[in-house]
Amino acid sequence: MMERQEKVPATQAGKTAPGDTEYEFLLPFPQPMTRPRMAVPSDEWIYLANVESGMDVSTLFVARTARNGDVDTSFGRGGWIAEFVEIRFGEPIGLWVREGGGVLAAVKDSVDSRLEVALICFTEAGELDSTFGDGGKIIHRIEVPGSSSESTSSKAASDVAEHGQAAGSGTAFAATGDGTFYCLLGTGNGPFYALMRLQSDGTLDTRFNGTGYVTDGEWAYRQWGATSIVVGSDARVTVLGEFYDVTAVPDRRLVAWRFDQDGSIDRSFGDDGYAFFDADAADVAPENLYQMSFDHAASLPDGGVAVCGALTTVSGTTYQRFGLLACLDASGKPLDTFNRGKFLLYGVMGEYGTDFRGGIAVQGDGKIVVGGGVSESLVTDSELLVARFQPSGSRDLTFGDGGARRFKGKGAQVNYMRHLLIDSKGNILVAAIGGPNNSGSSMWPFVFQLTGGQ
């Protein structure tokens, strides 16, 4: 079902309904850095991270702020800290509050053909945690499949100086209940991915596949795009992404697959471990499907997975992009009770395109919150979008304007959402970037807190 929403006036100032902005602030780091991440340790504090990329090393920035953006000066060096990591062209893929305090950050190499990640752990005071890795840091480098070299991991980078966790935006970093955690390396287009399970000190957990990781992919004929992971209560991990197989028809399909705790494929999931989805899953004619993606995922109460992304249709020379929302049951099949067993497509009438590529979270009452954007053209104007849906797939009309909220950062003409979380009180936190145009050098990162009103 393709659901369209008419453009409506912005929320009136002073209103306190679900979806309204409570706080908005800029990240307290040098600019520009365009991939902000968040983690919420309490109803008061937010951890924030961003990365300044370089050709040889990258710099990780981490801060702790109040909900209004005021930095906590007791953290790090006056509220934030910067650490060098030996990762080229780094980008943050995860920020996780550790049980007992402190925060763990993951920075990966953004080049598709390099499977490298740095893990950096800070104490609650904002110092490197000496119990983690080598002086607080560890780097893992996984050789791509088919390489003649053995896969390796290395400790240390430089000596330069699910407890209380918010829900949502499952991307590439997820903890289990026994102190281990998973880290996913990959991109939506592949061609390779690596899924790692690590001990609480950052070392590889060799109980997982005997090595601590699994990996797959090829350059030309069989590519795995992997974007998001979700860990179940039984510590099995589901991976979401896209599969390209030159021998298949269609050659590109969305896919979910699941691993058992020992690193083997869970053959009870999908079709012998893999659940594939094509145009039919979204109730779109194959000849009209141009592109679709899974971008973020979150756990459903019954052991299933909610996934969001985007789908683009084509008719002649006309292209239309929709936000995509799917719910899978614990066996990998589309959930019958959600949108009649089909993927939901959401578009805003009269606009160039809509997407749900900003994040996803599932509330305690089962309602699904998704984030993304609405654009009027390819380059000139775009807004942030947060929408909320009932467990059945219908819009939650109590939220925003008819189920959705459209908004921009102050002074920003173009806006892109990077991350979305829900805290323990149901508040919705959005990390985004915006600026006068699409040039990364002219953009700034900011955070919004919206009322949830569960």
Side-chain angles (χ1 to χ4, degrees), residues 31 81 234 248 294 407:
Q31 310 299 337
I81 192 166
D234 54 6
F294 280 161
F407 54 103

Side-chain angles (χ1 to χ4, degrees), residues 35-186:
R35 294 189 178 273
R37 305 290 303 180
M38 303 177 293
V40 183
S42 70
D43 292 332
E44 180 181 7
W45 300 112
I46 307 172
Y47 283 106
L48 301 167
N50 218 330
V51 171
E52 186 176 67
S53 298
M55 294 184 65
D56 297 311
V57 297
S58 299
T59 306
L60 168 71
F61 294 83
V62 177
R64 188 167 63 210
T65 73
R67 294 305 179 95
N68 64 0
D70 291 343
V71 295
D72 177 8
T73 56
S74 69
F75 179 81
R77 299 163 192 141
W80 56 278
I81 192 166
E83 288 292 337
F84 291 132
V85 290
E86 292 179 354
I87 290 289
R88 297 163 289 180
F89 306 108
E91 66 175 271
I93 60 171
L95 192 63
W96 196 265
V97 179
R98 305 187 83 198
E99 186 172 357
V103 65
L104 176 62
V107 177
K108 78 163 187 173
D109 190 320
S110 61
V111 176
D112 295 355
S113 60
R114 290 200 293 262
L115 302 175
E116 303 179 352
V117 65
L119 305 171
I120 308 95
C121 191
F122 300 96
T123 66
E124 195 167 12
E127 301 294 333
L128 289 173
D129 186 345
S130 61
T131 68
F132 184 90
D134 187 354
K137 304 179 184 180
I138 190 167
I139 292 179
H140 293 286
R141 294 184 169 94
I142 306 299
E143 295 294 336
V144 300
S147 170
S148 59
S149 302
E150 291 185 0
S151 300
T152 61
S153 64
S154 61
K155 292 184 178 181
S158 169
D159 291 330
V160 179
E162 172 161 299
H163 183 76
Q165 182 66 37
S169 283
T171 50
F173 207 44
T176 71
D178 63 1
T180 62
F181 59 96
Y182 289 97
C183 183
L184 176 69
L185 303 181

Side-chain angles (χ1 to χ4, degrees), residues 213-224:
Y213 62 88
V214 294
T215 185
D216 202 353
E218 297 175 5
W219 278 111
Y221 301 108
R222 189 171 172 271
Q223 300 179 358
W224 289 93

Side-chain angles (χ1 to χ4, degrees), residues 329-341:
D329 64 20
S331 70
K333 297 181 178 63
L335 197 62
D336 289 338
T337 56
F338 178 82
N339 198 39
R340 300 176 290 108

Side-chain angles (χ1 to χ4, degrees), residues 38 48 106 117 126 128 172 192 208-209 236 243-244 278 353 370 373 390:
M38 303 177 293
L48 301 167
V117 65
L128 289 173
F192 310 104
F208 188 72
N209 197 40
R236 292 185 296 182
F243 182 60
Y244 169 75
D278 53 23
V370 288
Q390 301 285 355

